[in-house]
Amino acid sequence: MSRLYAILSVFFLCGGGFFSFAQQPARHTFTLGESDFLLDGKPLQMISGEMHYPRIPRESWRERMKMAKAMGLNTIGTYVFWNVHEETPRVYDFSGNNDIAEFIRTAHEEGLWVVLRPSPYVCAEWEFGGYPWWLLKDRQMQVRSTDPKFMSVYSRYIKALAKQLIPLQITHGGNILMIQIENEYGSYSNDKTYLDLNRKIFREAGFDGILFTCDGADRMPDGYLPGYLPAVNGLEDPAQVKTLINRYHNGKGPYYVAEWYPGWFDDWGKKHADVSAEQSAKTLDQLLAAGISVNMYMFHGGTTRGFMNGANMNKDNPYSPQVSSYDYDAPLDEAGHPTEKFYAFRKVIAAHLPAGETLPPVPAAKPAIKIPDIALEQYAGLFSQLPKPETAGQPLPFEDLDQAYGFVLYRTTIKKGGMLKLKELRDYAQVYVDGKYQGSLDRRLKQDSMNLTGISSDAVLDLWVENNGRINYGPFLNDNRHGITGSVSVDGREIYGWNMYRFPFKTAGTFSFSKNTDQKTGHPALYKGRFTLQQLGDTYLDMRTFGKGFVFLNGHHLGKYWNIGPQQTLYVPASWLRKGKNEIVVFDELESNHRQLPSLDHPVLDQNSKK
């Protein structure tokens, strides 16, 4: 009990000491002992949970942290996402939901330490593993390597990030305990020179606290950096954790499971994750009883909004993009409500408290609401109002079109029908001939060709191509250019002469809408509705009658939907709704004739369809 007593002497004394920014911040030391982390020379066992600031509405950061405290956490882990901070080279955004410094300050105010993971590779089921899309414009650049061009832009970004975060380290009176360099690098490569360059970049930028690496147990020999703390991911047996870390850390600890998985993520078209609360609670109890520090991945997942979902792919498994919901079957669900797992973990942590100590009460959950069905009264067909095209002899990938995400319409003419083949389609295409829908091609299913019949001479061929999410993990990280990245042929003859129309959908755009009765079926389109609310609350858009697309609400991109599931709803935080007038825009590329958009007071994350 002495270890947890030291934890809670800091964790619960929030009134006027360490955790009050209104007063002079207390100075602390944080060091590595033989077997423990030492806070001011006394053992500190981190009971941590991962939360990601871009996946949680800024308005809800504090609420989620209060829930973390109520479950018994004393630390928050978070990645830092390079591609949200530098979407355009040298233009840095640390505002709004990207305000990582404010996220950390809020944690400080709520009595929580932070383990920072600015790698900058994050994996995280996040687009391109967190790397900015524009790195792919240079075909020769190799991320996660000693490539001088990569290291130059990487170092530049870390210096910009350091300006935000250096004052928040524990060495400067803040609450950042440790900083992770790289992320599961052993699962990718084994270049110790590259790892040491990472260390050098962080040190030169001013990160002067404890640095650590983390890897899966079987990959630690490749991914750890000698002389720095190695943490392990996914290992649950306490004896094995200690033996492994001893092996790579000069026979000593501290012992840190940087990613312990009480849940898992979902892929489109696959089953919803379901990890046992009872078994997870038993594992947590064993780890805590052994004095091991733990970061549960995830405590609260939130939502991957916009086009930021990633995808997995390796030599044995096909391309598999992730859904927008990052519920993760976590203790705190997508909307921030405590689950069965939350209460099971709270009970375990409470059992390890010293005599007389108690956890804070669990904040009351805010009930979700079902809002009236939203009438979609306006329609905008996209093929009838195309932007100015880019022209080229061969189809160009998104990166050569200076486009990050979204869609591109590739248009050309063909002389006859036959077997249409798209070489290296990335990732999903709707095929039209003279405006008539022919079918879809899907990288997930290894579909890259179809037979075109009844084609007239000089027929117009349209390929509506979507980036379903760049690969975030595995050996193909550098092979991540999107759109049509190879040739297009019919009956083996390559097609030349292309017009390419860009649809990045950073916003709902400036499209012209008409009455919904005027819509043309079978083409990608936008549907707009306006509605009035007197009562606000979290709600869930029910997308089960829609096909494939995304939704903007009052200017916020809520994420993607796809009728194949398992996710069938889109979470709407109450803070993004307005009392009075609201506006919604739905994009659908598969289904037509939408008239209404219903909602629910609960999520549907576990229904798959054969569509």
Side-chain angles (χ1 to χ4, degrees):
M1 290 299 178
S2 61
R3 179 181 288 106
L4 278 172
Y5 182 82
I7 299 169
L8 293 160
S9 66
V10 175
F11 182 34
F12 293 106
L13 294 177
C14 303
F18 161 63
F19 291 114
S20 176
F21 263 159
Q23 302 177 22
Q24 181 80 17
R27 291 276 178 168
H28 294 270
T29 62
F30 185 70
T31 57
L32 305 181
E34 292 292 317
S35 60
D36 299 293
F37 295 106
L38 300 177
L39 177 66
D40 297 333
K42 298 178 181 179
L44 170 69
Q45 183 179 21
M46 289 184 289
I47 309 175
S48 176
E50 189 92 1
M51 295 197 300
H52 299 150
Y53 56 100
R55 285 177 158 138
I56 308 167
R58 179 180 176 132
E59 299 86 346
S60 300
W61 287 348
R62 193 177 298 277
E63 291 176 4
R64 305 300 192 261
M65 291 174 184
K66 287 182 182 297
M67 283 290 188
K69 285 286 294 284
M71 198 181 80
L73 302 186
N74 58 15
T75 307
I76 293 297
T78 185
Y79 284 125
V80 184
F81 298 81
W82 185 359
N83 57 7
V84 305
H85 295 301
E86 194 181 1
E87 186 175 351
T88 301
R90 298 180 184 274
V91 179
Y92 299 102
D93 180 6
F94 294 102
S95 63
N97 243 95
N98 296 337
D99 192 347
I100 174 63
E102 183 59 24
F103 181 80
I104 293 170
R105 283 191 291 265
T106 303
H108 200 163
E109 292 164 5
E110 292 302 320
L112 291 161
W113 302 103
V114 169
V115 172
L116 191 70
R117 310 175 71 196
S119 306
Y121 167 74
V122 299
C123 186
E125 291 70 58
W126 192 266
E127 225 275 342
F128 196 15
Y131 289 123
W133 69 276
W134 45 264
L135 295 176
L136 295 163
K137 294 177 71 172
D138 184 339
R139 291 175 183 265
Q140 279 69 52
M141 183 181 289
Q142 297 290 301
V143 303
R144 298 191 93 177
S145 80
T146 57
D147 180 345
K149 291 181 291 185
F150 168 67
M151 298 304 288
S152 175
V153 292
Y154 166 19
S155 178
R156 186 182 72 202
Y157 157 68
I158 293 297
K159 289 176 182 176
L161 180 66
K163 293 177 182 178
Q164 304 289 318
L165 301 182
I166 293 304
L168 305 182
Q169 298 178 103
I170 192 170
T171 48
H172 296 251
N175 58 325
I176 298 174
L177 295 179
M178 302 195 299
I179 300 96
Q180 178 181 298
I181 53 173
E182 249 292 347
N183 182 50
E184 296 185 321
Y185 179 67
S187 298
Y188 185 77
S189 189
N190 59 0
D191 186 345
K192 302 296 184 184
T193 300
Y194 164 70
L195 279 175
D196 195 57
L197 283 174
N198 280 258
R199 176 202 61 80
K200 183 179 179 182
I201 286 171
F202 276 85
R203 287 299 192 221
E204 289 181 348
F207 288 100
D208 55 8
I210 292 173
L211 302 180
F212 74 100
T213 60
C214 72
D215 289 280
D218 60 336
R219 298 294 183 176
M220 193 176 288
D222 292 334
Y224 88 106
L225 184 62
Y228 292 85
L229 177 69
V232 64
N233 291 353
L235 197 59
E236 297 185 333
D237 181 88
Q240 292 179 5
V241 170
K242 291 185 176 182
T243 298
L244 186 70
I245 291 178
N246 284 339
R247 185 183 306 160
Y248 297 104
H249 199 226
N250 300 320
K252 58 184 180 181
Y255 307 105
Y256 183 42
V257 178
E259 292 186 14
W260 170 63
Y261 306 113
W264 202 247
F265 60 88
D266 289 342
D267 291 339
W268 288 116
K270 298 182 181 179
K271 289 185 177 181
H272 177 56
D274 183 10
V275 180
S276 165
E278 180 181 5
Q279 184 56 51
S280 295
K282 289 180 180 178
T283 301
L284 179 61
D285 185 46
Q286 292 168 356
L287 290 166
L288 295 184
I292 294 170
S293 289
V294 175
N295 179 52
M296 58 190 67
Y297 192 102
M298 302 288 293
F299 163 68
H300 170 55
T303 310
T304 309
R305 296 183 178 85
F307 298 114
M308 287 293 105
N309 71 282
N312 281 331
M313 182 176 174
N314 59 42
K315 295 176 182 178
D316 301 317
N317 296 301
Y319 172 82
S320 186
Q322 290 107 24
V323 305
S324 289
S325 170
Y326 208 60
D327 177 84
Y328 218 89
D329 192 28
L332 213 62
D333 72 10
E334 184 177 9
H337 299 139
T339 65
E340 175 191 1
K341 203 168 283 181
F342 177 98
Y343 289 104
F345 291 1
R346 173 179 160 90
K347 183 177 180 181
V348 167
I349 296 169
H352 287 273
L353 300 180
E357 297 287 358
T358 59
L359 293 175
V362 179
K366 296 182 178 179
I369 63 173
K370 181 183 185 301
I371 63 177
D373 290 357
I374 302 167
L376 300 174
E377 299 175 335
Q378 293 183 288
Y379 163 86
L382 300 184
F383 283 13
S384 62
Q385 42 186 318
L386 299 176
K388 182 179 178 180
E390 298 284 339
T391 61
Q394 293 180 308
L396 301 176
F398 279 34
E399 293 77 13
D400 290 349
L401 294 169
D402 202 32
Q403 181 169 327
Y405 318 111
F407 305 76
V408 171
L409 175 64
Y410 295 83
R411 173 170 286 178
T412 190
T413 57
I414 54 177
K415 300 293 185 183
K416 61 176 185 177
M419 184 59 67
L420 170 71
K421 182 175 178 61
L422 278 61
K423 186 178 180 181
E424 298 298 335
L425 168 66
R426 311 282 180 81
D427 304 293
Y428 187 85
Q430 300 282 95
V431 181
Y432 302 84
V433 176
D434 287 334
K436 184 178 179 181
Y437 178 64
Q438 305 294 309
S440 62
L441 301 174
D442 189 344
R443 186 184 183 190
R444 292 180 316 120
L445 306 176
K446 298 186 177 181
Q447 296 171 339
D448 64 358
S449 58
M450 68 169 57
N451 194 33
L452 302 179
T453 60
I455 306 301
S456 61
S457 179
D458 295 322
V460 175
L461 173 66
D462 284 329
L463 305 173
W464 176 264
V465 177
E466 176 181 1
N467 168 4
N468 259 345
R470 292 184 178 89
I471 295 166
N472 61 263
Y473 179 83
F476 301 109
L477 199 63
N478 279 293
D479 185 13
N480 241 336
R481 293 164 70 82
H482 268 62
I484 298 177
T485 62
S487 61
V488 178
S489 62
V490 175
D491 271 355
R493 294 191 176 185
E494 189 169 349
I495 305 300
Y496 297 95
W498 292 87
N499 286 336
M500 290 155 285
Y501 305 87
R502 298 180 293 176
F503 290 85
F505 287 117
K506 285 186 177 181
T507 67
T510 56
F511 300 98
S512 297
F513 284 81
S514 57
K515 291 183 179 179
N516 206 343
T517 53
D518 299 335
Q519 69 176 273
K520 181 178 180 180
T521 61
H523 287 174
L526 296 167
Y527 301 84
K528 182 185 290 187
R530 294 182 174 88
F531 60 101
T532 301
L533 292 178
Q534 302 303 321
Q535 175 191 7
L536 301 183
D538 289 350
T539 191
Y540 301 85
L541 301 179
D542 184 356
M543 310 307 299
R544 285 177 288 188
T545 60
F546 290 72
K548 187 178 195 298
F550 56 84
V551 177
F552 276 99
L553 171 71
N554 295 331
H556 296 281
H557 195 313
L558 297 180
K560 300 177 182 178
Y561 65 88
W562 195 352
N563 55 19
I564 63 174
Q567 177 184 347
Q568 299 289 353
T569 52
L570 284 172
Y571 167 58
V572 179
S575 57
W576 290 358
L577 291 167
R578 302 169 184 156
K579 278 192 175 182
K581 295 180 180 179
N582 295 264
E583 181 179 271
I584 201 161
V585 177
V586 181
F587 167 78
D588 199 332
E589 61 180 314
L590 289 182
E591 304 290 345
S592 304
N593 290 314
H594 299 301
R595 306 294 177 181
Q596 287 188 321
L597 175 58
S599 74
L600 297 167
D601 62 2
H602 61 275
V604 179
L605 301 176
D606 58 357
Q607 290 186 11
N608 293 93
S609 166
K610 294 182 180 179
K611 291 184 179 181

